[in-house]
Amino acid sequence: MTTKLISISNNFSQTPAGRYYTDGPYSGEKFRTEILYPALIENELVKVDLDGTLGYGSSFLEEAFGGLIRECKMTLEQIESKLEIHSSRNLYTRRIKQYLVDASKIKNK
Amino acid sequence: MGGCELSLLISAVVWIVTVIGWFVTNSLTKKRESRKEVRETLDKIYDATEALLKSSHTYYCSKDPGEQEVSCCEIYASLEKINGLCSRLENDYKDIKLISKLDSLFEIITGGDFNSINLTRDSTVYINKSKEIALIAETIRREGDNWFNYTFKPK
């Protein structure tokens, strides 16, 4: 099984911020488009480590992860089978799970 | 009943009363300790929520980039602190529900243009957001206190 490890702080930015490319250089859209989604396509398992950054805003997280369903047309089941999120701060893992569920519900309406 | 048997009976009764008394005292002490711990945790949650409100206001209204940066860090730190405290409380007491309120605060404060280069810093623009934030903070306090008074009411 091919596994990819992504550390947001080491592989992207220690200060991820904003939703879209227009919001800044380290947006959720950029992370999803250039790092996360390609990794999910190319690997059977992707582990994302959220630790090491200053913190995350909801716009960044929702666009980076919720956008997998909304923009990249992945399903919740595909994401759950391929994506593992690691964080010492369960506030973020909890919110990400909610964004994925909410995006899936909207998509299925 | 012979004297010996009566003496044994009295000893047994004394022992039973002593053991029951020990259990009751122990239980009351534990409850008092729990009450104190929970009260302290709730007060820490309220203090951290107040700090979050202040940092939020500074972040969205200050024109000083240094202050904006510091308040951004403070926002992250306060959110994580409140999350840790609420999680601990909800692990021990399943009937208190503060995490959902915290999630709402997270969405309001760090959603929208938070950390965007396009963010407009203006107290008049922030006014609606600040009302929502204050309302949730007030709800956290009210629900926390109501739950505490119900859970630890004198019986």
Side-chain angles (χ1 to χ4, degrees):
Chain A
M1 176 190 272
T2 56
T3 302
K4 171 91 176 174
L5 302 173
I6 299 173
S7 160
I8 294 186
S9 67
N10 293 332
N11 303 134
F12 185 65
S13 171
Q14 291 186 336
T15 53
R19 181 181 284 272
Y20 302 117
Y21 277 106
T22 49
D23 288 320
Y26 301 111
S27 66
E29 185 180 22
K30 182 181 170 95
F31 175 71
R32 186 193 74 238
T33 307
E34 298 178 19
I35 297 180
L36 182 58
Y37 183 60
L40 285 166
I41 295 299
E42 291 161 16
N43 297 276
E44 286 160 325
L45 180 64
V46 175
K47 297 182 182 183
V48 177
D49 182 1
L50 302 182
D51 286 346
T53 66
L54 200 62
Y56 297 91
S58 83
S59 301
F60 176 91
L61 293 177
E62 203 289 323
E63 188 59 34
F65 295 94
L68 289 170
I69 294 177
R70 208 179 38 261
E71 307 296 334
C72 303
K73 312 300 179 195
M74 291 186 76
T75 66
L76 182 59
E77 294 71 30
Q78 284 172 324
I79 295 168
E80 283 174 343
S81 67
K82 298 190 80 162
L83 180 63
E84 279 181 19
I85 297 166
H86 297 270
S87 177
S88 60
R89 300 171 282 191
N90 76 345
L91 166 65
Y92 299 133
T93 44
R94 186 174 69 241
R95 293 314 299 151
I96 288 169
K97 282 179 187 162
Q98 192 61 51
Y99 297 142
L100 290 169
V101 165
D102 290 346
S104 183
K105 280 182 187 166
I106 292 171
K107 182 188 169 193
N108 292 335
K109 267 191 182 169
Chain B
M1 192 182 277
C4 191
E5 284 169 348
L6 184 61
S7 170
L8 276 173
L9 181 63
I10 291 169
S11 293
V13 168
V14 166
W15 258 110
I16 289 167
V17 168
T18 305
V19 166
I20 290 171
W22 181 85
F23 273 112
V24 168
T25 307
N26 201 38
S27 168
L28 286 174
T29 304
K30 271 187 185 168
K31 182 131 195 185
R32 203 167 42 243
E33 288 299 317
S34 295
R35 186 181 198 280
K36 189 177 158 202
E37 258 179 48
V38 168
R39 185 71 255 170
E40 280 173 4
T41 301
L42 278 174
D43 288 340
K44 282 180 188 170
I45 289 171
Y46 302 157
D47 289 344
T49 307
E50 280 303 310
L52 181 61
L53 262 65
K54 286 188 181 135
S55 304
S56 221
H57 186 268
T58 304
Y59 178 79
Y60 280 104
C61 300
S62 172
K63 305 286 188 206
D64 181 336
E67 276 188 1
Q68 291 161 11
E69 208 175 312
V70 166
S71 58
C72 181
C73 295
E74 287 171 351
I75 286 171
Y76 287 138
S78 291
L79 284 166
E80 285 163 36
K81 182 173 184 179
I82 298 168
N83 183 65
L85 291 165
C86 288
S87 296
R88 207 164 67 205
L89 209 52
E90 289 200 9
N91 273 343
D92 294 339
Y93 299 92
K94 304 295 178 201
D95 56 339
I96 187 170
K97 306 286 178 204
L98 293 179
I99 291 270
S100 59
K101 308 290 182 298
L102 169 66
D103 287 349
S104 297
L105 273 180
F106 177 73
E107 291 304 316
I108 291 171
I109 294 173
T110 70
D113 284 343
F114 181 76
N115 269 342
S116 167
I117 55 178
N118 305 314
L119 175 64
T120 304
R121 287 192 158 83
D122 190 313
S123 54
T124 52
V125 170
Y126 177 64
I127 201 163
N128 286 335
K129 199 185 272 276
S130 74
K131 282 180 186 168
E132 274 191 85
I133 294 169
L135 192 61
I136 296 174
E138 176 53 36
T139 305
I140 288 174
R141 185 178 280 272
R142 191 179 61 245
E143 289 191 9
D145 282 347
N146 285 346
W147 170 84
F148 179 81
N149 291 333
Y150 177 77
T151 304
F152 293 100
K153 65 186 172 192
K155 290 195 167 54

